[in-house]
Amino acid sequence: MLTDYHLHLRSDDLDASAAEHFTEANAERYRAAASERGIAELGVSEHVYRFAQALTVWRHPFWIENASDDLAEYCAFVRGRTDLRLGIEADFVPGREGQMAELLGEYDFDYVVGAVHFLREEAVDMNTYSVWDAGRSPEEIWRGYFQTLGEAAGSGLFDVLAHPDLVKVWGRGRPRPEGDLRRFYELAMDGIAQTGIAVEVSSAGLRKPVGELYPAPEFLQMCLQAGAKVALSSDAHRPEDVGAGYALALELLERLGVAELCVFDQRRRRVEPMGPAAASETGPASAS
Ligand SMILES: [Zn+2]
Ligand SMILES: [Zn+2]
């Protein structure tokens, strides 16, 4: 079994509308791309902040700008008109855990992908509201990021910890701290061990300036030593990126002795042996 649970049916552009992208035909394009790559288990996880309901959790200006769609309509579309698992990518907003739990509890998600995109009011991976603009050292930003990641993992709000070392996204554009980076990873390990959250291996970093998988092999190794299970995803925002870079991800997983991937249903988790499906198992046969 191979999975791709962290998918977006549209780009992050504000003008990529729900009406245009939440369609059966678009979901089919993702399914077809997955079938070609032997990926049988697919789910969508749109950003929570694209939905008006998220403003009950946080009113950051970026969220206010993005919150145009209806979460109930998204869930009804995925459940009623696609064969995809229903997920969501929810941010960890410190101090707003109760409000986020309440929001997530109102819908019947198969899984919730938890992400740290912000450190307080400042963004890790965007040029707007950027945490990198305030003159802080990489050391300080990385420490803040991994501390917050540990809190997110330990919060119990999420099933999957998204793109775990996202802070490296900029590559040489915003240099990483010197030396052995495990001193930062260590800050997240208690939270990961406490809740047993699945750790995402994401090929998205290969498409970013950093040009690497998330997370770094050393981070993943520490998670595995802490007993973590793995969820595999591409974070595709368009069909052609579904399962992109999986060869490298699978190579890393095999090298570290990972033989199983997490599969989710109604926020219950099981593990399945890792490996590509034969084409006939992933969708309608192309020839009879
Ligand atoms: Zn994300
Ligand atoms: Zn995403």
Side-chain angles (χ1 to χ4, degrees):
M1 157 89 62
L2 290 180
T3 63
D4 201 340
Y5 279 133
H6 188 154
L7 295 176
H8 301 267
L9 290 174
R10 59 177 165 192
S11 76
D12 290 336
D13 297 343
L14 276 174
D15 52 8
S17 71
E20 210 181 337
H21 292 86
F22 297 170
T23 67
E24 288 169 52
N26 196 34
E28 272 309 310
R29 283 192 279 275
Y30 282 71
R31 175 61 78 187
S35 293
E36 264 174 41
R37 291 181 165 163
I39 304 164
E41 180 71 9
L42 277 198
V44 280
S45 57
E46 296 298 333
H47 284 291
V48 72
Y49 59 73
R50 299 298 294 255
F51 301 104
Q53 286 89 338
L55 297 179
T56 61
V57 179
W58 204 30
R59 296 187 60 82
H60 189 284
F62 177 75
W63 283 36
I64 292 173
E65 198 183 357
N66 271 271
S68 56
D69 298 327
D70 186 78
L71 188 49
E73 281 175 21
Y74 160 68
C75 294
F77 160 72
V78 175
R79 283 279 183 235
R81 291 170 51 204
T82 79
D83 62 356
L84 309 175
R85 296 264 179 217
L86 174 60
I88 190 154
E89 180 174 9
D91 293 64
F92 178 61
V93 186
R96 306 297 287 170
E97 292 88 342
Q99 290 83 350
M100 183 61 89
E102 202 172 310
L103 176 67
L104 296 173
E106 285 173 33
Y107 304 91
D108 67 331
F109 297 114
D110 287 315
Y111 58 89
V112 176
V113 177
V116 174
H117 299 117
F118 282 85
L119 302 181
R120 298 218 175 87
E121 305 293 314
E122 294 168 335
V124 172
D125 63 335
M126 296 193 303
N127 275 318
T128 48
Y129 313 105
S130 176
V131 70
W132 300 93
D133 289 347
R136 290 194 199 91
S137 67
E139 186 88 16
E140 193 182 340
I141 293 171
W142 276 54
R143 204 177 319 114
Y145 174 80
F146 284 101
Q147 263 162 6
T148 309
L149 188 75
E151 288 169 34
S155 72
L157 286 168
F158 314 121
D159 303 297
V160 179
L161 192 60
H163 39 61
D165 56 352
L166 178 71
V167 69
K168 74 183 179 187
V169 60
W170 301 103
R172 270 184 269 175
R174 278 134 186 186
R176 57 187 81 189
E178 303 283 327
D180 189 338
L181 298 173
R182 285 177 293 190
R183 68 187 186 278
F184 301 102
Y185 307 156
E186 189 55 52
L187 300 170
M189 288 303 143
D190 281 352
I192 290 169
Q194 265 162 32
T195 57
I197 190 170
V199 173
E200 182 179 81
V201 170
S202 169
S203 59
L206 297 169
R207 307 190 300 272
K208 304 288 181 178
V210 67
E212 295 175 12
L213 293 166
Y214 302 120
E218 295 75 15
F219 184 100
L220 186 58
Q221 202 156 28
M222 290 169 75
C223 293
L224 296 172
Q225 277 159 6
K229 301 289 182 198
V230 170
L232 176 63
S233 290
S234 69
D235 205 348
H237 287 63
R238 42 182 207 161
E240 52 268 48
D241 289 334
V242 175
Y246 267 24
L248 282 174
L250 294 176
E251 196 182 285
L252 170 67
L253 290 168
E254 277 163 26
R255 182 155 58 84
L256 296 186
V258 175
E260 298 171 322
L261 294 177
C262 293
V263 174
F264 297 92
D265 180 15
Q266 301 279 329
R267 303 207 68 181
R268 283 186 303 269
R269 177 176 98 187
R270 60 177 205 279
V271 290
E272 293 268 349
M274 183 176 83
S280 62
E281 290 171 50
T282 60
S286 53
S288 54

